[in-house]
Amino acid sequence: MSLNGKVALVTGGAQGIGRAVVQLLLQTSAKVAMVDLNKACGEECKAQLDVEFGEGNCTFISCDVSNGDALRDAFQRTVDKFGRLDIVINNAGINNEKNWEKTIQVNLTSVIKGTYLALEHMSKEYSKEGGTIINVSSMAAFLHSPHQPVYTATKHGVIGFTRAIADASSQGDYGVRINVLCPAFVDTPLLHSVEHEDNMGKFVKFKDDFRRSMTKFGVLQPSLIAEGMMRLIMDTTLNGAVMKITCSKGIHFHTYEPMSA
Ligand SMILES: NC(=O)c1ccc[n+]([C@@H]2O[C@H](COP(=O)([O-])OP(=O)(O)OC[C@H]3O[C@@H](n4cnc5c(N)ncnc54)[C@H](O)[C@@H]3O)[C@@H](O)[C@H]2O)c1
Ligand SMILES: CCCCC[C@H](O)/C=C/C=C\C=C\C=C\[C@@H](O)[C@@H](O)CCCC(=O)O
């Protein structure tokens, strides 16, 4: 399994799930642009990856994905540095029910913008060579919690948008496969943010419910989510697929009823 000659851009790549996929992409010989808001974490992560994989394979771009101009610039800088773009993972996400408008901006609006920018750089519509996009949703889109109403809404939105744009890609012959990934609970710093009133506002009172769900359903490691992403990247038959990753069923796919009149 090699991605030699391929270039990937991963948002939220400095930590958690994003970091695990950056690592796996480098292991499979892709060049990677790690796009993240957290400059200190991003620079430290890049320094470690340079030691492990050699300089010149990974670049860190400091960027807030909710700033449209900065996100556009991050895509351009990736192509300027590595000469092309083949894989885009719109992964950056937050969990903030207090500043819920920001949650919509980061988790949904930026995923939509990231998808459109990816298409500008990869779609045959723009005379490019094709590629693949993964948008990160959550099992919260299937098993909601009273603790995270707006987070849940954004993750539903990511699935709806991704399935529709994937259809547009296949019908419009864009040459770009676009899929969505829904992890259950994953052991990352984000998961621990559910404990805090600064993030959760009045919904913090449901944190015991949330903790019970974590105990019931278990907590996954980021490396398994990266493995799921690699499958979405490699399997050229997949477009508009909704991959779920849970402790009970591992990596599997959601099935939808065919539409009837
Ligand atoms: N951890 C879980 O249990 C879990 C479960 C399902 C889905 N997810 C989703 O997976 C994705 C990654 O989450 P994680 O658990 O790795 O979180 P994390 O907080 O560990 O990492 C997220 C990364 O995104 C970056 N980021 C946040 N806001 C940003 C912004 N505006 N611009 C650029 N970068 C930004 C952070 O700096 C961080 O490096 C998110 O979309 C999240 O909703 C997480
Ligand atoms: C701040 C981060 C929040 C993360 C939210 C997280 O993604 C929410 C997960 C919610 C539920 C997970 C449930 C997992 C259940 C499975 O083990 C299984 O029982 C259900 C399988 C259903 C299916 O795959 O069809």
Side-chain angles (χ1 to χ4, degrees), residues 12 14-18 35-38 63-66 91-94 106 136-138 151 155 183-186 188-191:
Q15 184 180 279
I17 293 170
V35 174
D36 205 291
L37 180 66
N38 187 335
C63 162
D64 179 345
V65 296
S66 67
N91 161 76
I94 58 169
V106 176
V136 179
S137 173
S138 164
Y151 179 89
K155 296 304 184 179
F185 302 104
V186 188
T188 70
L190 185 74
L191 194 58

Side-chain angles (χ1 to χ4, degrees), residues 17 19-22 24 181 221-231 233 245 251:
I17 293 170
R19 181 174 176 153
V21 74
V22 166
L24 195 51
L181 190 147
Q221 286 308 306
S223 56
L224 183 66
I225 314 306
E227 219 180 278
M229 288 186 182
M230 202 47 80
R231 206 159 130 189
I233 291 167
I245 309 187
I251 297 173

Side-chain angles (χ1 to χ4, degrees), residues 9-12 65 71 75 87-93 106-108 110-118 132-137 155 158 161-162 178-181 229:
L9 181 155
V10 181
T11 70
V65 296
L71 187 60
F75 273 78
I87 300 159
V88 171
I89 304 183
N90 290 304
N91 161 76
V106 176
N107 292 10
L108 182 57
S110 306
V111 169
I112 295 171
K113 284 188 182 161
T115 303
Y116 287 154
L117 285 164
T132 186
I133 303 170
I134 300 172
N135 291 334
V136 179
S137 173
K155 296 304 184 179
V158 169
F161 169 73
T162 305
I178 314 170
N179 295 295
V180 58
L181 190 147
M229 288 186 182

Side-chain angles (χ1 to χ4, degrees), residues 26-150:
L26 288 166
Q27 269 167 25
T28 45
S29 303
K31 307 269 189 215
V32 186
M34 188 173 37
V35 174
D36 205 291
L37 180 66
N38 187 335
K39 204 160 179 259
C41 194
E43 281 170 355
E44 188 202 322
C45 181
K46 181 194 171 330
Q48 285 174 10
L49 293 169
D50 281 351
V51 171
E52 199 173 339
F53 298 100
E55 281 187 34
N57 294 308
C58 174
T59 187
F60 170 63
I61 301 173
S62 168
C63 162
D64 179 345
V65 296
S66 67
N67 175 334
D69 290 339
L71 187 60
R72 174 172 289 281
D73 189 52
F75 273 78
Q76 193 55 53
R77 282 174 62 190
T78 304
V79 174
D80 291 346
K81 176 155 181 76
F82 293 126
R84 54 184 294 119
L85 187 62
D86 307 278
I87 300 159
V88 171
I89 304 183
N90 290 304
N91 161 76
I94 58 169
N95 174 47
N96 195 325
E97 295 296 326
K98 213 166 182 178
N99 189 355
W100 58 264
E101 282 151 316
K102 184 77 184 174
T103 299
I104 296 173
Q105 276 173 14
V106 176
N107 292 10
L108 182 57
T109 310
S110 306
V111 169
I112 295 171
K113 284 188 182 161
T115 303
Y116 287 154
L117 285 164
L119 289 172
E120 283 182 32
H121 286 279
M122 302 192 306
S123 168
K124 288 186 192 164
E125 273 210 316
Y126 294 89
S127 307
K128 300 291 175 0
E129 291 175 37
T132 186
I133 303 170
I134 300 172
N135 291 334
V136 179
S137 173
S138 164
M139 279 300 290
F142 294 98
L143 290 160
H144 64 260
S145 141
H147 191 248
Q148 297 176 292
V150 172

Side-chain angles (χ1 to χ4, degrees), residues 95 138-140 143 148 151 183-186 190-191 193-194 210 217 244 246-249 252 254:
N95 174 47
S138 164
M139 279 300 290
L143 290 160
Q148 297 176 292
Y151 179 89
F185 302 104
V186 188
L190 185 74
L191 194 58
S193 67
V194 299
F210 195 84
F217 294 125
K244 294 168 162 179
T246 63
C247 289
S248 60
K249 295 191 182 173
H252 61 294
H254 187 71

